Amino acid sequence: MSDAVPDLATTGAAAAATTERGTATTPDGPLRLRFCPAPSGWLHVGSVRAALYNWLVARRSGGTFVFRIEDTDAERATLDSARSMTEALAWMGLDWDEGPVLAADGTLGSRGAHGPYLQSERAALYAAVGRRLVDAGHLYPDLRTPAELEAWREQHRSGTAGGGPPVVKRSTAAHSEEELARYAEEGRVASWRLATPEAGSITVVDLVRGPVTFEWAHVSDPVLLRSDGSATYPLANVVDDVAMGIDLVCRGEDLLSVTPRQILLADLLVADGLIDAALAEVGLPPRDAAWGPPRAWAHLPMVVGMDRKKLSKRHGSVAIQEFRRQGFLPETLRNHLALLGWSHPAGEERFDDADLTARFALEDVGRSAAAFDVEKLTTFNGERIRALNPAELADRLLPHLDGTEGEAALVGRPPSDAELAVVRGLVPLVQERMQRLDEVEAYAAPFLGDVGYDEAAVAKHLATDAGRAALDAAAAALDGCTWDEGALEAALRAAAEGLGVGFGKLAQPVRVAVTGTTVSPPLFGTLVLIGRERTLARLDAARTLAAGG
RNA sequence: GCCCCCGUCGUCUAGCGGCCCAGGACGCCGCCCUCUCAAGGCGGUAACGGCGGUUCAAAUCCGCUCGGGGGUACCA
């Protein structure tokens, strides 16, 4: 790399005029969009919503959805996280045309013609681009240490340096002869910054926010190459967006202020075929000849918790796999997340993917931060569970019964025929009273295992004179009764009448006797599914319990 | 400190100068149904942050103010 400090006129600063970029409406034609999380931690609802919006626009335009892992920070990025995010995105049903693919054995493969899609595998490209940017004079060396920089910024922030915002510009980074000599002696290695214009302004016409103007004088020159030679996010992100032909950048509002320098860089990369030369040099696939730099931007409002604070561990279910574990359907999440910032033109709130892709538009996305409401999600989820056909519900319930999603292993994996029959028989009993799939565990226990008697329930409904009388009457009525809902209902109602009590007075003791708790699906269906043998046995056991023995 | 964004029921939102003493959804409350829990049906509660303008007329336009958020990293 050349250490020569290039003339200002040869750098991006030459573009110091006032410029405007972006579009007021989504561009026509097939669009390439991407979702590019940094792999540290889990995917949370905010990220997934961004992924969803990108996916929707790509699908609606008949374009391409690219998934890229931005693991340029070796300190924080982990492969486990990358795997987890890949799995989460797949579970959400946001299928991508290009990007990493998680194989059954846990390794990350790849699909698409413009990879690799893990930035850690593209280091050579960033180095090649960096070298060319330096040679072209767009980057300049900064020999200050992080500590020195921080001290410098602190001075400016507190105003003790005599005013001026803490903005790093080439003019503030110039080193004197003495400094250079000293640094050389110390063996310091430079980091390289992108020279942004010192004056003028740029207006980003954002699809959700409209025009937003930034003064270049307020834009700090970002470090593109760390002193160890590695690429930073400001470099890698833009290089890949350009190399992968991203048309529309849709991401969180937290990246809005970084857009000006990204536009500048993207232009530099495309100009004179710099990116193409670098791609060829390192042997990566060439860009499509028609691709230019990104031409549209959309910055989504943040997603906050119900306490209006930024999403964090405190908010519980932030990791998307937590929703999976709790039995939320991915289609519910898609529906509900779409509503977090966007609203259907016709005011509809329940819709499927087809309606969503047909109607969704970034221009209709709101501008204020939205709180994620789990209550509403839960209601929506219950509605969708009710709308499922019974056979499919049974299939979706299995992972919550065999230990895949929860702790309980009420059935084998795979389930036996008998277990499967019970689960299928259970569906009509629980479908209309479930909001989450994981609730099936509690409902299913009495049908698939032994009853555990709830003490309070026993005390209230069994161990009383009325309870004992009810159990005796029920046992007598059920003995020899035909085992179908109609006959059971007739027999038990008659028994209640015989006791001279309302049906409820008989039903609750029986319910507790058979299921162990006061809450269960409707009694007659429950008895049918549990079967004569077990019902009568449990009634007997309950009578013993009720007698205090 | 500096830059940028945002501000309608508890929550998600509709509203883009008169149709709004503000509509829908979730929640909440009440009633109906009912063998428990649900589901379902019906009804109800609840908001334009504040102050100044502009206008015959403002939730809608403008200014200020207050409040919230983001950025200000050799994190992304």
Side-chain angles (χ1 to χ4, degrees):
Chain A
M1 289 184 201
S2 162
D3 271 352
V5 176
D7 188 82
L8 265 184
T10 67
T11 72
T18 295
T19 53
E20 181 174 300
R21 298 293 294 274
T23 57
T25 56
T26 304
D28 292 326
L31 264 19
R32 292 176 62 86
L33 286 283
R34 46 61 163 180
F35 172 60
C36 50
S40 67
W42 294 268
L43 227 43
H44 55 77
V45 289
S47 334
V48 172
R49 187 195 55 170
L52 173 68
Y53 285 13
N54 275 285
W55 179 81
L56 285 170
V57 175
R59 291 289 169 260
R60 179 173 187 186
S61 74
T64 307
F65 181 47
V66 179
F67 175 35
R68 185 171 76 221
I69 302 279
E70 305 219 318
D71 52 346
T72 50
D73 182 3
E75 296 284 304
R76 307 184 190 201
T78 69
L79 195 55
D80 274 349
S81 173
R83 271 194 283 260
S84 156
M85 290 182 170
T86 306
E87 175 197 65
L89 199 59
W91 177 75
M92 274 297 298
L94 305 180
D95 54 300
W96 54 100
D97 306 293
E98 300 178 20
V101 178
L102 190 60
D105 65 0
T107 57
L108 279 176
S110 177
R111 119 176 105 229
H114 302 280
Y117 296 92
L118 257 59
Q119 290 189 327
S120 54
E121 296 172 10
R122 316 186 112 234
L125 175 64
Y126 309 138
V129 168
R131 198 179 319 117
R132 283 161 200 274
L133 285 171
V134 170
D135 289 345
H138 299 307
L139 268 43
Y140 64 90
D142 189 344
L143 283 155
R144 290 171 290 184
T145 63
E148 287 169 350
L149 277 164
E150 191 40 50
W152 179 86
R153 280 193 201 94
E154 201 39 59
Q155 264 189 353
H156 283 263
R157 268 196 281 261
S158 59
T160 54
V167 176
V168 177
K169 286 293 190 184
R170 191 210 293 265
S171 57
T172 72
H175 305 297
S176 65
E177 293 298 327
E178 305 87 76
E179 284 173 330
L180 286 175
R182 199 179 85 234
Y183 294 160
E185 206 168 304
E186 291 174 14
R188 286 195 192 181
V189 183
S191 63
W192 291 81
R193 291 182 186 273
L194 173 67
T196 60
E198 304 259 351
S201 69
I202 178 168
T203 297
V204 181
V205 180
D206 190 273
L207 286 168
V208 345
R209 267 148 231 287
V212 182
T213 301
F214 298 87
E215 295 295 326
W216 281 114
H218 295 138
V219 175
S220 249
D221 292 350
V223 168
L224 262 36
L225 295 170
R226 299 189 180 94
S227 48
D228 68 1
S230 66
T232 60
Y233 159 82
L235 207 219
N237 177 264
V238 176
V239 165
D240 287 347
D241 280 351
V242 170
M244 296 177 186
I246 300 306
D247 294 292
L248 195 168
V249 172
C250 167
R251 71 234 295 195
E253 185 192 5
D254 50 337
L255 265 356
L256 177 59
S257 61
V258 115
T259 308
R261 70 186 199 204
Q262 294 188 331
I263 290 174
L264 178 73
L265 215 209
D267 285 351
L268 257 22
L269 295 180
V270 173
D272 306 323
L274 193 155
I275 186 72
D276 301 297
L279 282 166
E281 178 192 326
V282 300
L284 286 181
R287 299 188 310 142
D288 188 296
W291 290 351
R295 54 202 159 111
W297 286 266
H299 287 92
L300 310 173
M302 305 306 292
V303 176
V304 297
M306 285 304 271
D307 57 1
R308 293 264 117 199
K309 293 284 163 53
K310 200 174 176 181
L311 245 27
S312 74
K313 303 273 193 310
R314 297 178 59 92
H315 295 91
S317 322
V318 285
I320 214 69
Q321 13 266 322
E322 180 64 11
F323 289 94
R324 173 183 186 164
R325 206 184 62 70
Q326 293 180 348
F328 287 98
L329 309 176
E331 57 265 46
T332 313
L333 257 339
R334 267 179 261 136
N335 185 160
H336 188 252
L337 248 21
L339 254 10
L340 206 56
W342 173 82
S343 61
H344 189 115
E348 295 296 320
E349 296 217 312
R350 341 270 151 147
F351 36 70
D352 56 23
D353 292 339
D355 198 22
L356 194 48
T357 39
R359 306 291 201 112
F360 184 83
L362 289 169
E363 296 90 310
D364 296 330
V365 171
R367 293 155 303 279
S368 52
F372 185 74
D373 184 357
V374 188
E375 293 290 329
K376 187 164 179 175
L377 174 76
T378 305
T379 297
F380 275 29
N381 202 55
E383 291 175 3
R384 299 199 97 112
I385 286 176
R386 263 162 259 140
L388 253 27
N389 80 56
E392 186 181 354
L393 213 208
D395 287 344
R396 299 241 216 170
L397 250 19
L398 254 16
H400 295 271
L401 291 170
D402 67 9
T404 302
E405 299 294 352
E407 298 300 305
L410 263 22
V411 304
R413 194 180 348 169
S416 68
D417 288 348
E419 287 168 339
L420 202 52
V422 171
V423 174
R424 290 194 173 139
L426 192 57
V427 166
L429 261 31
V430 299
Q431 183 161 21
E432 73 177 21
R433 65 199 79 239
M434 282 202 305
Q435 302 219 269
R436 302 205 236 126
L437 262 22
D438 65 345
E439 290 163 14
V440 74
E441 184 183 323
Y443 281 124
F447 299 91
L448 289 163
D450 292 328
V451 252
Y453 286 98
D454 176 72
E455 268 183 53
V458 170
K460 182 174 180 188
H461 297 287
L462 302 187
T464 63
D465 289 342
R468 283 183 282 268
L471 289 180
D472 290 342
L478 260 24
D479 190 35
C481 180
T482 303
W483 217 255
D484 66 53
E485 286 195 35
L488 290 169
E489 174 161 12
L492 289 174
R493 283 194 187 280
E497 221 169 297
L499 282 177
V501 300
F503 182 63
K505 299 290 185 198
L506 179 83
Q508 277 308 78
V510 175
R511 187 187 313 281
V512 173
V514 173
T515 68
T517 74
T518 55
V519 177
S520 86
L523 194 55
F524 314 121
T526 297
L527 296 185
V528 169
L529 191 62
I530 284 181
R532 163 182 268 129
E533 300 296 309
R534 283 194 296 178
T535 297
L536 295 179
R538 286 177 189 180
L539 234 27
D540 270 349
R543 288 162 81 188
T544 310
L545 247 184

